[in-house]
Amino acid sequence: MLAFSSQYSAVDTNPLSVYIMQPIWNKIIKIVPLWIAPNLLTFSGFVMILFNYFLISFYDWDYTASGTSPGLVPTWVWLFSAFTTFCAYALDSIDGKHARRTQSSTPLGELFDHGLDSWATSIFVLSFFSVCSRDNGKSGVSVYTMYIYLSIVLFNFMCSHWEKYNTGVLFLPWGYDISQVVLIAAYLLTGTVGVEVWQKPLLFGYYITDVLVILLIGFSLFLSFPQTLYNIHRAHLKKTLKNDSLYEGLLPLVSPLLLFILLTAWVVLSPSNILAKQPRLFLWMVGVAFSNVICKVIICQMSSTRPELFHWFLFPLALVVYAAISGLLGPMEEAVLAVFTTLVTAAHVHYGVCVVSTGVWKQLLVGALSGSLNVYIWVFFF
């Protein structure tokens, strides 16, 4: 049984968060009843963005609904998306504050929060793609740009936890607060002005989506990743690194890198151009797969254990990718993708339930044995 560290160390230096959003969260937290469990706030936020994703998918399964004028997605959906995104953002920001306020902070709560964040990260992005639409020859972004965009966002999330794995400190990425504000603004803009705003050049022939992609790549290459390396280097100079060897420090990156290579090979070499045929299904599978791999890294950094070199998911994925790009699947490639995505999602949910349930029972057992079980009777959700 894993022993999770009870110390949580995080640093937030984003001016948007420190000077604008945190004061707002400090006011909102005061209206949250003390009897509500922090994990309920976390889970509620995740459910809201998940519901919003499925709602958008209902109206725009293949990312083409916003490519026409007027768009095929009702206006109220975009306004609802802005509302749910803000609520999820707020709940994710106050759950930790509420836990400290009620003196119910636990490693399990931290794991639950970061685990859902690892999945929510991709869901936020996949929902946003419906705003900018798929490339129709005049505007929108290509499905390959969507894949790269999603991969970069997931890479940034992974770097934050790889950084904590090595330093013991979670340096909260600047991109999180900025991306949430941009998402909310994008939904409000689309709901009030219409999807036409995304179909017109903004500056020098570039569309808003082009600007956002450029900013994302620039932010990742010149700010986020360099900052991660700097913080690890600084910890090395201070001799506070949790891992002495280069091999141990880089070990958590092996599985995510191999995952990206396999998925990219499928995208590029697919005989049926699977990403173009089923972009939403394929990108959903990418997000779930990355979430499961990153969750393993989060658990390792919280329990100070050594991550496995090859994540179990890589082996069935390698078989599917080989069968697809070699032509063995033939016309069955889309069907296999659907089945594979379903199985991966079910496995990820099962993994999460097992980890959480094990953590709850251990938390109750430790409290009972120590004689200090001062928690609510429904310790996790209620």
Side-chain angles (χ1 to χ4, degrees):
M1 183 178 291
L2 295 176
F4 293 111
S5 170
S6 60
Q7 295 183 348
Y8 175 64
S9 180
V11 177
D12 187 2
T13 59
N14 184 0
L16 173 62
S17 173
V18 174
Y19 297 110
I20 299 178
M21 303 312 301
Q22 290 300 329
I24 296 176
W25 308 142
N26 290 334
K27 292 182 181 299
I28 293 178
I29 192 64
K30 294 178 181 179
I31 66 176
V32 179
L34 293 175
W35 56 265
I36 293 181
N39 290 326
L40 180 59
L41 300 178
T42 306
F43 188 67
S44 298
F46 178 77
V47 170
M48 292 186 76
I49 64 168
L50 192 62
F51 178 81
N52 181 64
Y53 170 80
F54 288 126
L55 176 65
I56 294 178
S57 300
F58 175 77
Y59 287 101
D60 182 28
W61 174 257
D62 56 358
Y63 292 116
T64 59
S66 297
T68 60
S69 180
L72 302 179
V73 179
T75 298
W76 69 267
V77 173
W78 301 126
L79 298 178
F80 180 76
S81 297
F83 172 74
T84 54
T85 301
F86 174 78
C87 289
Y89 179 27
L91 291 171
D92 186 48
S93 300
I94 68 173
D95 55 1
K97 294 178 181 292
H98 185 63
R100 291 184 290 272
R101 177 176 173 234
T102 57
Q103 297 183 348
S104 55
S105 299
T106 63
L108 176 62
E110 178 188 349
L111 175 61
F112 188 64
D113 184 17
H114 294 325
L116 289 183
D117 284 345
S118 70
W119 196 353
T121 299
S122 64
I123 298 175
F124 278 125
V125 178
L126 299 185
S127 297
F128 172 71
F129 286 157
S130 285
V131 172
C132 50
S133 180
R134 183 174 175 174
D135 184 17
N136 58 11
K138 296 181 180 179
S139 61
V141 296
S142 72
V143 291
Y144 302 102
T145 302
M146 292 181 182
Y147 173 70
I148 295 173
Y149 194 108
L150 176 62
S151 299
I152 292 175
V153 171
L154 293 173
F155 173 77
N156 285 331
F157 183 90
M158 181 196 66
C159 282
S160 297
H161 290 279
W162 173 59
E163 183 178 9
K164 188 184 180 186
Y165 173 83
N166 285 285
T167 66
V169 179
L170 180 63
F171 294 88
L172 300 177
W174 284 26
Y176 174 68
D177 291 279
I178 296 174
S179 65
Q180 294 301 295
V181 173
V182 169
L183 276 175
I184 296 169
Y187 288 134
L188 289 174
L189 181 65
T190 307
T192 54
V193 179
V195 296
E196 291 81 6
V197 69
W198 302 92
Q199 301 169 7
K200 300 176 182 178
L202 176 66
L203 189 65
F204 302 118
Y206 288 96
Y207 294 82
I208 298 179
T209 52
D210 297 327
V211 175
L212 291 177
V213 171
I214 293 173
L215 289 176
L216 174 67
I217 296 176
F219 183 88
S220 302
L221 293 180
F222 301 108
L223 183 60
S224 182
F225 187 57
Q227 184 69 30
T228 295
L229 296 179
Y230 171 74
N231 289 331
I232 293 177
H233 176 66
R234 188 173 61 177
H236 171 70
L237 295 178
K238 292 181 179 180
K239 300 186 183 304
T240 58
L241 277 180
K242 298 179 65 177
N243 302 285
D244 296 329
S245 70
L246 180 63
Y247 174 78
E248 293 293 336
L250 296 176
L251 190 58
L253 298 181
V254 175
S255 287
L257 179 61
L258 292 176
L259 178 65
F260 175 73
I261 291 174
L262 288 172
L263 291 172
T264 303
W266 195 356
V267 168
V268 175
L269 302 176
S270 170
S272 64
N273 200 359
I274 191 65
L275 182 59
K277 285 189 175 182
Q278 292 291 344
R280 186 173 290 277
L281 200 59
F282 190 92
L283 295 176
W284 170 269
M285 183 267 293
V286 172
V288 175
F290 264 99
S291 177
N292 195 268
V293 171
I294 294 172
C295 279
K296 291 293 185 70
V297 175
I298 294 173
I299 290 176
C300 288
Q301 57 113 78
M302 288 185 61
S303 58
S304 298
T305 56
R306 190 168 182 256
E308 55 194 357
L309 181 61
F310 301 113
H311 189 278
W312 69 268
F313 176 72
L314 296 175
F315 299 101
L317 176 63
L319 292 176
V320 173
V321 171
Y322 172 76
I325 65 179
S326 64
L328 292 177
L329 297 181
M332 295 294 295
E333 187 174 0
E334 289 185 62
V336 170
L337 171 64
V339 173
F340 186 68
T341 301
T342 302
L343 293 176
V344 169
T345 303
H348 186 49
V349 172
H350 173 72
Y351 173 72
V353 170
C354 288
V355 170
V356 169
S357 60
T358 301
V360 169
W361 283 112
K362 182 182 179 183
Q363 183 174 314
L364 289 171
L365 178 62
V366 170
L369 292 177
S370 65
S372 60
L373 189 58
N374 185 23
V375 294
Y376 298 110
I377 191 65
W378 288 357
V379 66
F380 196 67
F381 283 125
F382 304 100

